[in-house]
Amino acid sequence: MKQARKFAMSYSELAQRGDRMVSLISRDINEFSKYGYTPDLPTTLGSLTNTFKDIEPDMYWEGHQTLVTNAKNKNREKTTALLGEIGFKAKLALGENSKEYRMFRISGMKRLKDSQLVTYAKHVCATAKYFIEQLASRNVDDALLAECLVVITALDDSIDDQTEAISLREQKSVERLDLGNELYEIISETSEVGKRIWENKNQAFYDDYVLYGSTKSSATDDDEIEAELSEATE
């Protein structure tokens, strides 16, 4: 189950804040030790921040999903084109009103879902194979049926690729969010400690630990970037 997002800042700003906190805690580690933190805290936080930054943003996985979807759509077009050719030749060879032609069930092909189209395409090929002698006069032969089966296999495989890409995108989205929440919890906690350390002692150092102030980050929200890029490619 996908967690709720615990931080209001963007993913890119969170990563920047993680880097900044490593520097601040390293500077103030002696003070942090008074609150039970160990000297390896900057290293631990730095490692978590780097792991978080290494996860590609959603726009990357969306792009991958788009590529495999386009490939699937092209295979679908090839499949329907070949089925249409076989069906038209079957109509010429067998007669539009014949029981034999009706076995192909050509009408409604474009409304089929991808998985249904694979099953239907195999049916058309099998039916054409059964009537191969009658269809030979219209140049429906084993070579054409073999070509059709290759295209059907490519479509079937590309459907699997698309399903995997969608699943992977969701997986990476959840992974990035979970890690972001974990990173934010550490940053939030240590920020409160940092403010406690420097409260009424050093205003500049105190301000270093303020997460949400009046000054906005210079980094543009990567969520907005991803939304803008998606709109631009539609």
Side-chain angles (χ1 to χ4, degrees), residues 81-93:
L82 274 175
L83 294 180
E85 180 182 350
I86 293 173
F88 185 72
K89 289 180 175 180
K91 181 171 67 173
L92 294 177

Side-chain angles (χ1 to χ4, degrees), residues 123-191:
H123 157 74
V124 170
C125 287
T127 304
K129 183 71 173 178
Y130 184 79
F131 292 113
I132 194 70
E133 292 184 3
Q134 293 96 312
L135 300 180
S137 63
R138 298 297 179 171
N139 293 325
V140 175
D141 54 19
D142 289 334
L144 179 61
L145 298 184
E147 179 185 356
C148 191
L149 289 174
V150 168
V151 172
I152 294 170
T153 299
L155 174 60
D156 196 11
D157 290 342
S158 61
I159 292 171
D160 293 338
D161 291 341
Q162 182 191 42
T163 301
E164 183 178 347
I166 293 172
S167 177
L168 182 59
R169 181 185 178 188
E170 177 63 20
Q171 174 189 329
K172 291 299 180 180
S173 175
V174 171
E175 182 181 344
R176 193 180 186 212
L177 177 59
D178 289 349
L179 201 56
N181 283 338
E182 182 182 352
L183 177 60
Y184 177 74
E185 286 178 353
I186 297 176
I187 291 174
S188 179
E189 179 183 308
T190 51
S191 292

Side-chain angles (χ1 to χ4, degrees), residues 3-12 177 181 221-223:
Q3 294 186 44
R5 182 164 163 169
K6 298 179 180 179
F7 49 97
M9 65 183 69
S10 68
Y11 281 95
S12 57
L177 177 59
N181 283 338
D221 193 326
D222 45 16
D223 296 334

